[in-house]
Every structure is written in structure tokens, then in C-alpha cells.
Amino acid sequence: MEPSLADFDLIIQPGWRNSGPRHWQSHWQRRLGATRVEAGDWDAPQLDDWLRGLDQALDRARKPVIVIAHSLGCVAVAHYAQRQPRRIAGALLVAPADVERPFVPRELMGFAPTPRQPLPFPARMVASSNDPFCKTPRAARLAGYWRTPIAWLRQAGHINVESGHSQWEDGWLQLELLAQRVRASLSQAA
């Protein structure tokens, strides 16, 4: 079931190496008419480039924004929230990458340390019990730092094409639950 999101602008924040045409983020972008962050060189990510790309995508928004982030994109959203706490209305954080894990690829080291401050907007994390890029205890710790509820998927890998999540229809429920929290937060602030 596709969520009702007409009252939001949606931004897709891919992770390292972008999300290819078969990735669920690409499918969602097409179905939702979402804007994709442009971040320069996706293979050699630079935090400042990613934050600038997210900022530019937010500049084009006309409604409150929900960011739909995957992997390293989740960490970029957390960094962005520390610099610009009021620009994002909510974020769906799917399979966050652990940029502080042992043997993290050199390309991701510029995103460390991971922000440990609570996110200043409603968020919802979706993590997998066997994500090779973020172990279960670490994902739980990130959710604690960011003060966001976490939904666990069993044996879902990195929640990407390689782990069988191309369309990821089950993710619509997570997005709808987040949208409900964002609406409630915006109503309280008004």
C-alpha cells in the first residue's frame, strides 16, 4: 500500500555509490515523484559535497520535507541535522552504515565520527538483523543516539538489491508510520 504523502516534498538521499536503477530508492523516486540528492562523485564521497547536495535539494522544496535515506545517506542526514536543525520535517533512515566499524572502507572515513545528538525532527529507522555494514548492537546504539524508533527486519541484509529488496513494497508501511509522526509534530508546532 502506497502511503498518502501529498502534503510533503520527498527527497531521496542515497548511500555510497548511489542507488542504481533497480534499487528500491530508485523505484520509490519514480513512484513518488521524489527529488534525488546530487552529491558529486558517489564513489569517492565527501561529506561537505553530500551536505551541499542535500541543502540544494531542500532549497527546491515547497512543502515540509521527508528525507528517505539509505546506508551512508543516513549518516549524512544526521550530520546535516546538526548544522541545519529546522530544514527537514522528518527522515526515514534505512540500513544506516556504521562508519566507525573496524575495517570500514577508506572512502567512508570522512563521515566519522557519527553524530551522537538526538535528531531535531521525527525519524524512523529500519535496520536488519544481519546487515554486514552495521551490526545489530551498533544500529540499536545509533537509534539511541538519534532518539528514533527502530523497526527490525529479520535476515534482510543491507536492505538493498543484493539482499532482495528491489521494489521493497513492505517499506511503504514504515514511510506511512513516519509521515503520521511528522504530521503530528507539525500540528503541535503550528
Side-chain angles (χ1 to χ4, degrees), residues 2-71:
E2 194 168 316
S4 171
L5 299 162
D7 42 347
F8 299 107
D9 280 334
L10 304 169
I11 293 178
I12 300 289
Q13 173 63 72
W16 184 29
R17 297 184 175 139
N18 204 344
S19 295
R22 294 180 48 235
H23 194 283
W24 63 266
Q25 280 190 310
S26 297
H27 291 290
W28 286 23
Q29 179 184 356
R30 288 188 294 272
R31 283 180 67 177
L32 297 169
T35 299
R36 182 182 293 251
V37 171
E38 295 300 327
D41 187 347
W42 290 103
D43 293 326
Q46 300 296 314
L47 178 59
D48 287 338
D49 292 344
W50 284 39
L51 299 181
R52 193 168 26 261
L54 182 52
D55 207 41
Q56 290 167 353
L58 284 158
D59 285 345
R60 293 190 293 275
R62 298 295 170 249
K63 301 175 191 173
V65 171
I66 292 178
V67 178
I68 302 166
H70 182 255
S71 191

Side-chain angles (χ1 to χ4, degrees), residues 8-189:
F8 299 107
D9 280 334
L10 304 169
I11 293 178
I12 300 289
Q13 173 63 72
W16 184 29
R17 297 184 175 139
N18 204 344
S19 295
R22 294 180 48 235
H23 194 283
W24 63 266
Q25 280 190 310
S26 297
H27 291 290
W28 286 23
Q29 179 184 356
R30 288 188 294 272
R31 283 180 67 177
L32 297 169
T35 299
R36 182 182 293 251
V37 171
E38 295 300 327
D41 187 347
W42 290 103
D43 293 326
Q46 300 296 314
L47 178 59
D48 287 338
D49 292 344
W50 284 39
L51 299 181
R52 193 168 26 261
L54 182 52
D55 207 41
Q56 290 167 353
L58 284 158
D59 285 345
R60 293 190 293 275
R62 298 295 170 249
K63 301 175 191 173
V65 171
I66 292 178
V67 178
I68 302 166
H70 182 255
S71 191
L72 188 60
C74 300
V75 179
V77 167
H79 279 288
Y80 188 88
Q82 302 312 306
R83 297 183 188 191
Q84 298 286 341
R86 290 180 172 69
R87 296 206 67 199
I88 295 173
L92 183 64
L93 307 170
V94 181
D98 180 3
V99 296
E100 297 173 18
R101 69 186 185 268
F103 310 109
V104 67
R106 167 183 61 75
E107 293 88 348
L108 310 188
M109 290 179 178
F111 286 70
T114 302
R116 287 168 168 68
Q117 298 82 2
L119 295 176
F121 44 75
R124 185 165 185 82
M125 182 186 292
V126 181
S128 170
S129 64
N130 68 335
D131 189 334
F133 306 119
C134 189
K135 302 296 181 199
T136 303
R138 180 63 173 168
R141 202 167 313 125
L142 292 175
Y145 293 151
W146 298 338
R147 296 212 181 116
T148 181
I150 186 168
W152 290 102
L153 303 184
R154 291 178 46 98
Q155 304 297 310
H158 195 48
I159 313 175
N160 59 6
V161 174
E162 289 76 17
S163 63
H165 297 86
S166 182
Q167 301 280 333
W168 195 41
E169 296 288 332
D170 293 342
W172 292 120
L173 173 61
Q174 302 302 327
L175 186 56
E176 180 58 44
L177 292 170
L178 171 65
Q180 291 171 11
R181 286 188 59 218
V182 174
R183 282 187 198 98
S185 175
L186 293 172
S187 293
Q188 289 174 355

